[in-house]
Amino acid sequence: MNKDRRKILGMLAEGRIDADAAERLLDRLGDAQAVAERSQPAPPSPRYLRVRGRADGAQFDARIPLALVRTGIKLEAMLPNDTAEELKEHGIDLGQFAGMAADELVEALGELEVSVDGDKGEQIRVYCE
């Protein structure tokens, strides 16, 4: 609970204001907070899905435009076969995103960060930038 809200509720508890006045103050406080939240710039949307790693002595670095995702291409189709298989072996199935709408998928990917360290020295990192 923020300081202003606590102060209003304290004034109500002490009897310095009645419930109607407290409600009006809390409404104004909520409106002011909403305006402040709207005025903050939104974080930039991710533009690329990045897949980096090392497996079987080979290194790879894929930078995939998320605009491709919006066209309907499947995520698994964008990765090297052995990378997708390695992710599945570690319990990560990108096919689970197949049923999502493109914009919803891009939004979900913005939060995605996966790191896999295999027992044979394999390393895979999937994230958005």
mmCIF file of all heavy atoms in Angstrom, residues 4-5 7-13 16-30:
data_model
loop_
_atom_site.group_PDB
_atom_site.id
_atom_site.type_symbol
_atom_site.label_atom_id
_atom_site.label_comp_id
_atom_site.label_asym_id
_atom_site.label_seq_id
_atom_site.Cartn_x
_atom_site.Cartn_y
_atom_site.Cartn_z
ATOM 1 N N ASP A 4 0.300 7.600 0.367
ATOM 2 C CA ASP A 4 -0.889 8.461 0.307
ATOM 3 C C ASP A 4 -2.159 7.686 0.664
ATOM 4 O O ASP A 4 -3.021 8.196 1.388
ATOM 5 C CB ASP A 4 -1.028 9.075 -1.090
ATOM 6 C CG ASP A 4 0.102 10.036 -1.401
ATOM 7 O OD1 ASP A 4 0.614 10.684 -0.472
ATOM 8 O OD2 ASP A 4 0.479 10.129 -2.592
ATOM 9 N N ARG A 5 -2.262 6.494 0.180
ATOM 10 C CA ARG A 5 -3.430 5.649 0.467
ATOM 11 C C ARG A 5 -3.500 5.355 1.980
ATOM 12 O O ARG A 5 -4.556 5.419 2.592
ATOM 13 C CB ARG A 5 -3.319 4.366 -0.339
ATOM 14 C CG ARG A 5 -4.518 3.477 -0.303
ATOM 15 C CD ARG A 5 -4.213 2.298 -1.218
ATOM 16 N NE ARG A 5 -5.298 1.729 -1.922
ATOM 17 C CZ ARG A 5 -6.170 2.302 -2.727
ATOM 18 N NH1 ARG A 5 -6.104 3.583 -2.941
ATOM 19 N NH2 ARG A 5 -7.122 1.634 -3.325
ATOM 20 N N LYS A 7 -2.259 7.156 4.351
ATOM 21 C CA LYS A 7 -2.583 8.406 5.058
ATOM 22 C C LYS A 7 -4.093 8.651 5.044
ATOM 23 O O LYS A 7 -4.683 9.017 6.065
ATOM 24 C CB LYS A 7 -1.842 9.570 4.404
ATOM 25 C CG LYS A 7 -2.001 10.879 5.124
ATOM 26 C CD LYS A 7 -1.144 11.949 4.484
ATOM 27 C CE LYS A 7 -1.298 13.275 5.185
ATOM 28 N NZ LYS A 7 -0.483 14.323 4.562
ATOM 29 N N ILE A 8 -4.725 8.448 3.884
ATOM 30 C CA ILE A 8 -6.181 8.647 3.772
ATOM 31 C C ILE A 8 -6.917 7.675 4.691
ATOM 32 O O ILE A 8 -7.836 8.059 5.422
ATOM 33 C CB ILE A 8 -6.644 8.481 2.305
ATOM 34 C CG1 ILE A 8 -6.074 9.614 1.443
ATOM 35 C CG2 ILE A 8 -8.161 8.428 2.214
ATOM 36 C CD1 ILE A 8 -6.216 9.391 -0.050
ATOM 37 N N LEU A 9 -6.505 6.411 4.684
ATOM 38 C CA LEU A 9 -7.166 5.423 5.537
ATOM 39 C C LEU A 9 -6.922 5.725 7.023
ATOM 40 O O LEU A 9 -7.808 5.500 7.864
ATOM 41 C CB LEU A 9 -6.688 4.019 5.184
ATOM 42 C CG LEU A 9 -7.109 3.532 3.792
ATOM 43 C CD1 LEU A 9 -6.493 2.168 3.491
ATOM 44 C CD2 LEU A 9 -8.620 3.489 3.649
ATOM 45 N N GLY A 10 -5.756 6.264 7.351
ATOM 46 C CA GLY A 10 -5.477 6.667 8.733
ATOM 47 C C GLY A 10 -6.387 7.801 9.174
ATOM 48 O O GLY A 10 -6.886 7.800 10.310
ATOM 49 N N MET A 11 -6.591 8.769 8.276
ATOM 50 C CA MET A 11 -7.491 9.888 8.589
ATOM 51 C C MET A 11 -8.913 9.389 8.814
ATOM 52 O O MET A 11 -9.613 9.859 9.721
ATOM 53 C CB MET A 11 -7.444 10.933 7.466
ATOM 54 C CG MET A 11 -6.128 11.678 7.416
ATOM 55 S SD MET A 11 -5.823 12.781 5.992
ATOM 56 C CE MET A 11 -7.366 13.269 5.374
ATOM 57 N N LEU A 12 -9.325 8.403 8.023
ATOM 58 C CA LEU A 12 -10.654 7.810 8.191
ATOM 59 C C LEU A 12 -10.742 7.088 9.538
ATOM 60 O O LEU A 12 -11.722 7.263 10.284
ATOM 61 C CB LEU A 12 -10.955 6.848 7.046
ATOM 62 C CG LEU A 12 -12.266 6.068 7.119
ATOM 63 C CD1 LEU A 12 -13.458 7.015 7.073
ATOM 64 C CD2 LEU A 12 -12.344 5.069 5.973
ATOM 65 N N ALA A 13 -9.727 6.312 9.867
ATOM 66 C CA ALA A 13 -9.721 5.567 11.126
ATOM 67 C C ALA A 13 -9.740 6.495 12.338
ATOM 68 O O ALA A 13 -10.350 6.180 13.362
ATOM 69 C CB ALA A 13 -8.503 4.643 11.182
ATOM 70 N N ARG A 16 -11.092 11.844 11.347
ATOM 71 C CA ARG A 16 -10.858 13.199 10.817
ATOM 72 C C ARG A 16 -11.635 13.433 9.530
ATOM 73 O O ARG A 16 -11.940 14.582 9.195
ATOM 74 C CB ARG A 16 -9.368 13.416 10.591
ATOM 75 C CG ARG A 16 -8.614 13.439 11.910
ATOM 76 C CD ARG A 16 -7.111 13.507 11.813
ATOM 77 N NE ARG A 16 -6.592 14.346 10.766
ATOM 78 C CZ ARG A 16 -5.371 14.216 10.237
ATOM 79 N NH1 ARG A 16 -4.559 13.284 10.694
ATOM 80 N NH2 ARG A 16 -4.965 15.018 9.296
ATOM 81 N N ILE A 17 -11.945 12.368 8.791
ATOM 82 C CA ILE A 17 -12.788 12.454 7.581
ATOM 83 C C ILE A 17 -13.795 11.317 7.643
ATOM 84 O O ILE A 17 -13.586 10.314 8.339
ATOM 85 C CB ILE A 17 -11.960 12.372 6.271
ATOM 86 C CG1 ILE A 17 -11.184 11.055 6.198
ATOM 87 C CG2 ILE A 17 -11.026 13.562 6.135
ATOM 88 C CD1 ILE A 17 -10.471 10.827 4.871
ATOM 89 N N ASP A 18 -14.915 11.501 6.916
ATOM 90 C CA ASP A 18 -15.905 10.423 6.889
ATOM 91 C C ASP A 18 -15.643 9.505 5.687
ATOM 92 O O ASP A 18 -14.743 9.763 4.877
ATOM 93 C CB ASP A 18 -17.332 10.989 6.868
ATOM 94 C CG ASP A 18 -17.652 11.806 5.629
ATOM 95 O OD1 ASP A 18 -16.868 11.773 4.657
ATOM 96 O OD2 ASP A 18 -18.701 12.476 5.615
ATOM 97 N N ALA A 19 -16.413 8.436 5.575
ATOM 98 C CA ALA A 19 -16.197 7.433 4.526
ATOM 99 C C ALA A 19 -16.366 8.023 3.131
ATOM 100 O O ALA A 19 -15.619 7.662 2.213
ATOM 101 C CB ALA A 19 -17.157 6.261 4.723
ATOM 102 N N ASP A 20 -17.329 8.942 2.955
ATOM 103 C CA ASP A 20 -17.536 9.558 1.642
ATOM 104 C C ASP A 20 -16.315 10.376 1.215
ATOM 105 O O ASP A 20 -15.878 10.316 0.068
ATOM 106 C CB ASP A 20 -18.787 10.448 1.644
ATOM 107 C CG ASP A 20 -20.069 9.641 1.753
ATOM 108 O OD1 ASP A 20 -20.062 8.464 1.307
ATOM 109 O OD2 ASP A 20 -21.063 10.173 2.271
ATOM 110 N N ALA A 21 -15.763 11.150 2.162
ATOM 111 C CA ALA A 21 -14.576 11.954 1.843
ATOM 112 C C ALA A 21 -13.388 11.038 1.524
ATOM 113 O O ALA A 21 -12.619 11.303 0.592
ATOM 114 C CB ALA A 21 -14.245 12.885 3.003
ATOM 115 N N ALA A 22 -13.240 9.968 2.290
ATOM 116 C CA ALA A 22 -12.148 9.016 2.035
ATOM 117 C C ALA A 22 -12.295 8.394 0.651
ATOM 118 O O ALA A 22 -11.307 8.263 -0.085
ATOM 119 C CB ALA A 22 -12.135 7.938 3.113
ATOM 120 N N GLU A 23 -13.512 8.047 0.284
ATOM 121 C CA GLU A 23 -13.744 7.448 -1.038
ATOM 122 C C GLU A 23 -13.379 8.427 -2.157
ATOM 123 O O GLU A 23 -12.729 8.061 -3.129
ATOM 124 C CB GLU A 23 -15.204 7.012 -1.167
ATOM 125 C CG GLU A 23 -15.496 6.314 -2.468
ATOM 126 C CD GLU A 23 -16.939 5.829 -2.552
ATOM 127 O OE1 GLU A 23 -17.794 6.288 -1.758
ATOM 128 O OE2 GLU A 23 -17.198 5.002 -3.438
ATOM 129 N N ARG A 24 -13.800 9.697 -2.008
ATOM 130 C CA ARG A 24 -13.475 10.706 -3.019
ATOM 131 C C ARG A 24 -11.953 10.888 -3.141
ATOM 132 O O ARG A 24 -11.405 10.963 -4.238
ATOM 133 C CB ARG A 24 -14.142 12.046 -2.690
ATOM 134 C CG ARG A 24 -15.629 12.077 -2.982
ATOM 135 C CD ARG A 24 -16.192 13.496 -2.911
ATOM 136 N NE ARG A 24 -15.944 14.164 -1.641
ATOM 137 C CZ ARG A 24 -16.701 14.044 -0.542
ATOM 138 N NH1 ARG A 24 -17.769 13.265 -0.575
ATOM 139 N NH2 ARG A 24 -16.398 14.699 0.552
ATOM 140 N N LEU A 25 -11.262 10.942 -1.998
ATOM 141 C CA LEU A 25 -9.805 11.101 -2.019
ATOM 142 C C LEU A 25 -9.124 9.890 -2.665
ATOM 143 O O LEU A 25 -8.186 10.045 -3.456
ATOM 144 C CB LEU A 25 -9.273 11.309 -0.593
ATOM 145 C CG LEU A 25 -9.596 12.656 0.048
ATOM 146 C CD1 LEU A 25 -9.236 12.642 1.531
ATOM 147 C CD2 LEU A 25 -8.876 13.780 -0.679
ATOM 148 N N LEU A 26 -9.590 8.710 -2.331
ATOM 149 C CA LEU A 26 -9.004 7.499 -2.923
ATOM 150 C C LEU A 26 -9.255 7.447 -4.432
ATOM 151 O O LEU A 26 -8.376 7.029 -5.192
ATOM 152 C CB LEU A 26 -9.553 6.244 -2.240
ATOM 153 C CG LEU A 26 -9.059 6.017 -0.803
ATOM 154 C CD1 LEU A 26 -9.838 4.883 -0.144
ATOM 155 C CD2 LEU A 26 -7.574 5.743 -0.786
ATOM 156 N N ASP A 27 -10.449 7.887 -4.858
ATOM 157 C CA ASP A 27 -10.737 7.939 -6.299
ATOM 158 C C ASP A 27 -9.790 8.899 -7.006
ATOM 159 O O ASP A 27 -9.249 8.589 -8.068
ATOM 160 C CB ASP A 27 -12.189 8.359 -6.552
ATOM 161 C CG ASP A 27 -13.182 7.241 -6.256
ATOM 162 O OD1 ASP A 27 -12.749 6.080 -6.146
ATOM 163 O OD2 ASP A 27 -14.388 7.555 -6.131
ATOM 164 N N ARG A 28 -9.599 10.082 -6.423
ATOM 165 C CA ARG A 28 -8.680 11.065 -7.026
ATOM 166 C C ARG A 28 -7.254 10.534 -7.063
ATOM 167 O O ARG A 28 -6.531 10.729 -8.028
ATOM 168 C CB ARG A 28 -8.722 12.381 -6.262
ATOM 169 C CG ARG A 28 -9.908 13.218 -6.618
ATOM 170 C CD ARG A 28 -9.737 14.618 -6.088
ATOM 171 N NE ARG A 28 -10.985 14.999 -5.461
ATOM 172 C CZ ARG A 28 -11.118 15.838 -4.455
ATOM 173 N NH1 ARG A 28 -10.062 16.412 -3.937
ATOM 174 N NH2 ARG A 28 -12.275 16.113 -3.961
ATOM 175 N N LEU A 29 -6.866 9.877 -5.989
ATOM 176 C CA LEU A 29 -5.531 9.294 -5.925
ATOM 177 C C LEU A 29 -5.360 8.231 -7.016
ATOM 178 O O LEU A 29 -4.344 8.188 -7.710
ATOM 179 C CB LEU A 29 -5.293 8.677 -4.540
ATOM 180 C CG LEU A 29 -3.941 8.048 -4.291
ATOM 181 C CD1 LEU A 29 -2.834 9.081 -4.429
ATOM 182 C CD2 LEU A 29 -3.914 7.426 -2.907
ATOM 183 N N GLY A 30 -6.383 7.405 -7.200
ATOM 184 C CA GLY A 30 -6.337 6.383 -8.255
ATOM 185 C C GLY A 30 -6.268 7.003 -9.637
ATOM 186 O O GLY A 30 -5.520 6.535 -10.499
#
